[in-house]
Amino acid sequence: MVQKYQSPVRVYKHPFELVMAAYERRFPTCHLIPMFVNSDVVNEETSEDGATHRIERRCALDVDAPRLLKRIAGVDYVYFIQKNTLNRKERTLHIESHNETFSNRVVVHETCCYSVHPENEGWTCFEQTASLDIKSFFGFESTVEKIAMKQYASSINKGKEIIEFYLRELESEGVTHIPRWTCSSVSPALPAPSSLSASPPELQHPSAPAVSVSQPADAKDGASQEAKQDSGAPQADSLVEILAGTPEDKLDADYIKRYLGDLTPLQESCLIRLRKWLQETHKGKIPKDEHILRFLRARDFNMDKAREILCQSLTWRKQHQVDYLLETWSPPQVLQDYYTGGWHHHDRDGRPLYILRLGHMDTKGLVRALGEESLLRHVLSINEEGLRRCEENTKVFGRPISCWTCLVDLEGLNMRHLWRPGVKALLRIIEVVEANYPETLGRLLILRAPRVFPVLWTLVSPFIDENTRKKFLIYAGNDYQGPGGLVDYIDKEIIPDFLGGECMCEVPEGGLVPKSMYRTPEELENEDVRLWTETIYQSASIFKGAPHELVIEIIDAASVITWDFDVCKGDIVFNIYHSKRAPQPPRKDALGAHGITSPGVNNVQLIDKSWTLGQDYSMVESPLTCKEGESVQGSHITRWPGFYILQWKFHNMPACSATNLPRVDDVLATLQVSSHKCKVMFYTEVLGSEDFRGSMTSLESSHSGFSQLSAATTSSNHSQCSSMISR
């Protein structure tokens, strides 16, 4: 498996020339880098005007590995080849390196770049990417991978210390400014060309600024926190073009520490790579970095697993319009009177504090009066409010706060709370919250647990994630009042009055819901169905040989068809066709030939098998292949009236052109799609040309953004006369 690393943008609050001078002092040897044994210049050249200097070095490293492994490998040192390009005119240093030793068994590749900060020419940016691919290593592949990743991570921190050391050394010598290069001559104050070669790959991490000066919070909010891309801009395919972007495109190391917390280099890399993948595949709004980080933490920074559950959650949010819940949800009066929960100041760590007096809550009465879906909507609105409060407290306390504390008072809990429909509703709420709000619960304090509590705990604990269960603190009776109790987590001044404190708490006292408010099972079922299906999106299943098709009749030739869909499962191909003839209504047994008999499957086929492409209907857009997890928005400006057919088709893996046999990767990918079935969630709309304002991502009617999870929107200024597809 290929291990990848992507660094955040490290910003030095020093000019490029001064950073290069500090960097040059690391060569030819450095007492701060014991593993860097030696380096030899292999090739060196300088441009005629002296602006560009290229140097190639062969570097020897004494890798910290077990002696037995070194004996088996038969080497004492590991050699790397580095090619460095210093451009004094552009004020950049580009570094590319790869391993020479065991290159047929292990492939290490790294690219780095020093450049001037695009918004402050007196600062210097550093960024790097690296990959490690261990093909074979005498049966010690796993061991070598662990050693390499551990040493790589530690060397990043070491690189920070080294640059800081030499910057301080320059300052102590009175060197605080070095003139820039001019076209007339090479400045004598600049380091000699031969000494400006890079260090070995493991040491290319001069990451932190010598003087730590964090940018204002409002500047960070507007710059580094959210990714802003122009979907119409050409994609950069070289390292130089990638690194030449604005700070809004990348994460700043200081911003990560200030707003997200202390992350290891590999954790930073996972966040940046997942964030970049979302930018490429979800061209609407993407979640805030704090939310992405929660899903990574929930899966121990396994990027593939985190990406899977995050995509499922984003699709769920879009389908049920959770992003607009705080603006659209108004709790019924019965909830305001009898739901015994509410927000109450914050704990000692600055986390928002939510208090739930579960023992005083009439769960049976609430379920009978409101139904399961209304309770779920209310709990979701509480979680959305919690996300908002975490963001506010991060700014107020000046440190990252990404979760909240929940205090549950169980005084009064009895067998009435174990009413089966009530427990069923509780389990469903736990399931939804666990799937879509991971790592939002920092601590759960359960107070005054009665004897019946173990029964309830036995029922609900299997549905709670193991990492979440570790955050539970349970107190029986009045144990919470002693040492190690409530005062260790909450300031004495804000302990609620009903727990012996002096602070008035506005949480409703609850009580029994009057039976006059109960609704019949039929009414509750209709209400649940209404809330659950209240969405502008439709879902469809796609099978091999059975695409899903949607027909749109266009009367005005200059209309605009817009679409917004998510690929929930499998890979699909999206097509748009035009026909002057109206397709026949689909037969009821359209799926029978494919052995698909599930009554819940939404699959419609409109194009008659007797139709001929190019005669009866024509393709008006190039086929678009969409991978699982992608979010696609786009539009098509119609040229002719008639019937336009939107088609989502199962993606068949192409065979190898030389042998007509499928490739191994294609076979494995096909096996991951069970029963050759794909799922999409889609929304379409037809607009008049005068109402069209750009791509799907700019249409308010699309409802495709994540309003509560993102503060920046991707907009498009690029349009085509016939169509526009952004993915």
Side-chain angles (χ1 to χ4, degrees):
M1 180 179 179
V2 179
Q3 296 287 348
K4 295 182 180 180
Y5 173 77
Q6 171 67 59
S7 76
V9 178
R10 313 287 183 183
V11 180
Y12 292 82
K13 274 70 174 181
H14 293 278
F16 176 80
E17 290 74 20
L18 193 62
V19 172
M20 290 294 99
Y23 182 73
E24 173 254 344
R25 295 200 170 198
R26 302 164 61 175
F27 305 100
T29 59
C30 176
H31 67 281
L32 298 175
I33 316 175
M35 66 181 298
F36 182 27
V37 179
N38 193 15
S39 63
D40 299 317
V41 176
V42 178
N43 186 29
E44 185 175 5
E45 59 182 22
T46 305
S47 62
E48 292 183 1
D49 60 358
T52 304
H53 172 251
R54 295 182 179 87
I55 186 169
E56 181 176 336
R57 283 181 174 257
R58 188 171 185 261
C59 307
L61 303 181
D62 185 7
V63 179
D64 183 16
R67 184 179 299 272
L68 176 60
L69 188 60
K70 286 187 175 182
R71 284 189 174 184
I72 294 175
V75 297
D76 293 324
Y77 301 136
V78 177
Y79 291 91
F80 279 80
I81 301 297
Q82 289 192 321
K83 299 177 181 179
N84 311 315
T85 303
L86 172 66
N87 190 320
R88 294 188 179 92
K89 182 179 179 180
E90 301 294 336
R91 303 175 76 195
T92 60
L93 174 63
H94 293 283
I95 306 161
E96 184 176 351
S97 60
H98 64 273
N99 63 305
E100 182 184 71
T101 308
F102 300 119
S103 58
N104 60 332
R105 296 179 178 271
V106 180
V107 178
V108 179
H109 185 261
E110 183 182 48
T111 55
C112 308
C113 179
Y114 290 89
S115 61
V116 178
H117 194 286
E119 294 182 355
N120 189 330
E121 61 180 14
W123 292 355
T124 304
C125 295
F126 171 77
E127 190 174 4
Q128 74 182 111
T129 61
S131 63
L132 169 67
D133 184 9
I134 302 178
K135 302 180 182 299
S136 65
F137 203 84
F138 311 106
F140 292 91
E141 292 80 10
S142 178
T143 302
V144 172
E145 181 177 305
K146 291 179 181 178
I147 293 174
M149 297 304 293
K150 181 180 179 180
Q151 192 158 323
Y152 197 84
S154 63
S155 66
I156 293 175
N157 297 324
K158 188 67 175 177
K160 299 177 185 179
E161 299 172 5
I162 294 170
I163 290 297
E164 289 174 353
F165 174 83
Y166 286 121
L167 284 170
R168 289 192 298 266
E169 186 176 83
L170 284 169
E171 187 178 358
S172 66
E173 297 173 1
V175 180
T176 58
H177 175 71
I178 295 178
R180 297 183 186 178
W181 177 89
T182 58
C183 187
S184 58
S185 62
V186 180
S187 172
L190 280 173
S194 61
S195 62
L196 275 175
S197 60
S199 67
E202 289 83 357
L203 308 176
Q204 283 299 327
H205 309 285
S207 311
V211 181
S212 178
V213 181
S214 59
Q215 297 183 15
D218 54 352
K220 284 293 181 185
D221 289 340
S224 299
Q225 185 171 1
E226 300 297 337
K228 300 178 181 178
Q229 288 187 325
D230 187 344
S231 61
Q235 296 296 316
D237 55 3
S238 69
L239 181 65
V240 179
E241 292 172 325
I242 292 173
L243 298 182
T246 60
E248 290 87 350
D249 298 327
K250 307 181 182 75
L251 288 183
D252 181 273
D254 293 339
Y255 158 76
I256 290 178
K257 186 174 183 180
R258 165 63 178 85
Y259 289 94
L260 304 179
D262 292 322
L263 303 178
T264 68
L266 297 182
Q267 290 173 346
E268 288 178 342
S269 175
C270 287
L271 172 63
I272 293 169
R273 288 161 54 205
L274 181 53
R275 185 176 183 268
K276 182 179 179 181
W277 181 86
L278 286 169
Q279 287 176 327
E280 294 172 350
T281 59
H282 289 66
K283 281 293 183 70
K285 299 178 181 180
I286 66 171
K288 291 182 179 177
D289 301 317
E290 308 93 280
H291 202 66
I292 300 175
L293 189 57
R294 290 186 182 104
F295 283 86
L296 284 167
R297 283 174 171 154
R299 291 298 179 266
D300 295 324
F301 287 88
N302 183 312
M303 204 178 97
D304 292 334
K305 293 181 179 179
R307 178 170 55 193
E308 180 181 358
I309 61 173
L310 176 57
C311 288
Q312 292 172 356
S313 178
L314 295 181
T315 301
W316 170 82
R317 294 183 69 89
K318 181 185 290 188
Q319 182 176 9
H320 300 292
Q321 304 180 60
V322 179
D323 305 296
Y324 309 100
L325 195 58
L326 289 179
E327 291 79 13
T328 59
W329 171 250
S330 179
Q333 190 62 43
V334 64
L335 273 176
Q336 300 179 35
D337 296 337
Y338 295 98
Y339 190 87
T340 56
W343 294 99
H344 181 77
H345 300 282
H346 55 80
D347 66 4
R348 288 183 178 272
D349 297 322
R351 297 166 174 163
L353 176 63
Y354 189 83
I355 294 178
L356 180 64
R357 303 185 69 179
L358 185 59
H360 286 221
M361 185 184 297
D362 181 11
T363 54
K364 179 178 180 179
L366 288 175
V367 172
R368 292 288 300 273
L370 294 170
E372 188 176 311
E373 290 302 324
S374 292
L375 279 176
L376 175 59
R377 286 289 177 103
H378 188 60
V379 173
L380 294 181
S381 70
I382 293 171
N383 281 270
E384 292 295 304
E385 174 66 17
L387 295 177
R388 188 188 65 81
R389 287 175 177 260
C390 285
E391 188 176 343
E392 288 183 354
N393 286 15
T394 295
K395 298 176 181 178
V396 170
F397 292 98
R399 61 177 182 272
I401 296 173
S402 61
C403 54
W404 52 82
T405 294
C406 185
L407 188 155
V408 180
D409 180 21
L410 295 183
E411 184 188 45
L413 189 75
N414 53 45
M415 294 302 294
R416 178 184 176 87
H417 292 86
L418 300 181
W419 180 57
R420 185 171 181 178
V423 173
K424 175 177 173 288
L426 176 62
L427 294 179
R428 175 146 184 272
I429 290 172
I430 291 175
E431 182 182 15
V432 173
V433 171
E434 280 284 309
N436 298 284
Y437 300 92
E439 298 297 318
T440 53
L441 182 65
R443 184 180 295 116
L444 180 65
L445 303 171
I446 300 177
L447 310 184
R448 301 195 280 194
R451 293 182 178 180
V452 74
F453 173 71
V455 180
L456 180 62
W457 178 249
T458 302
L459 293 173
V460 302
S461 60
F463 296 88
I464 302 175
D465 183 74
E466 182 179 356
N467 291 333
T468 304
R469 290 202 299 266
K470 294 177 181 178
K471 303 172 184 177
F472 284 33
L473 296 173
I474 303 173
Y475 299 90
N478 294 323
D479 293 347
Y480 69 93
Q481 296 177 344
L486 205 55
V487 291
D488 285 10
Y489 307 102
I490 302 174
D491 289 332
K492 185 178 180 181
E493 294 77 15
I494 65 171
I495 294 179
D497 52 345
F498 62 86
L499 292 176
E502 300 178 356
C503 185
M504 295 298 296
C505 184
E506 298 181 357
V507 175
E509 295 185 2
L512 295 177
V513 178
K515 292 187 177 180
S516 59
M517 294 185 175
Y518 286 11
R519 302 168 73 178
T520 64
E522 292 78 12
E523 290 175 332
L524 292 176
E525 183 178 357
N526 292 335
E527 178 68 10
D528 285 350
V529 170
R530 184 187 69 81
L531 289 174
W532 182 247
T533 58
E534 195 177 58
T535 174
I536 62 175
Y537 290 90
Q538 301 180 53
S539 297
S541 297
I542 299 148
F543 302 87
K544 193 170 185 179
H548 179 73
E549 295 165 346
L550 175 72
V551 63
I552 298 176
E553 184 177 3
I554 296 297
I555 299 176
D556 297 329
S559 299
V560 181
I561 302 174
T562 62
W563 57 82
D564 178 9
F565 64 87
D566 288 74
V567 185
C568 305
K569 181 181 179 182
D571 300 343
I572 60 101
V573 177
F574 179 64
N575 291 302
I576 305 177
Y577 300 101
H578 172 264
S579 175
K580 296 180 180 179
R581 299 166 51 187
Q584 295 297 320
R587 299 188 304 272
K588 292 184 178 181
D589 61 342
L591 298 178
H594 302 277
I596 305 166
T597 58
S598 174
V601 170
N602 178 25
N603 180 281
V604 177
Q605 298 170 58
L606 300 170
I607 299 178
D608 194 282
K609 292 183 178 180
S610 63
W611 281 16
T612 302
L613 182 62
Q615 297 180 6
D616 301 290
Y617 67 109
S618 59
M619 182 179 293
V620 295
E621 288 281 0
S622 299
L624 181 66
T625 302
C626 308
K627 301 293 184 181
E628 180 175 331
E630 288 191 359
S631 179
V632 181
Q633 301 86 33
S635 55
H636 175 80
I637 302 176
T638 62
R639 293 183 177 181
W640 316 281
F643 299 90
Y644 287 81
I645 301 173
L646 276 58
Q647 181 191 76
W648 292 268
K649 184 173 64 173
F650 185 90
H651 177 52
N652 293 307
M653 298 296 178
C656 178
S657 58
T659 63
N660 290 326
L661 294 176
R663 296 170 295 183
V664 174
D665 293 342
D666 297 336
V667 173
L668 294 176
T670 303
L671 292 176
Q672 294 175 355
V673 183
S674 60
S675 303
H676 300 290
K677 178 180 178 181
C678 302
K679 289 184 179 180
V680 295
M681 183 184 73
F682 65 92
Y683 167 74
T684 62
E685 185 176 3
V686 179
L687 302 175
S689 59
E690 67 277 3
D691 299 325
F692 182 64
R693 297 182 299 148
S695 70
M696 191 65 178
T697 56
S698 68
L699 296 176
E700 292 180 359
S701 58
S702 72
H703 298 283
S704 62
F706 307 102
S707 60
Q708 295 299 322
L709 296 180
S710 175
T713 308
T714 299
S715 61
S716 174
N717 297 321
H718 177 68
S719 63
Q720 301 176 3
C721 62
S722 61
S723 67
M724 183 181 304
I725 300 178
S726 62
R727 179 177 54 173

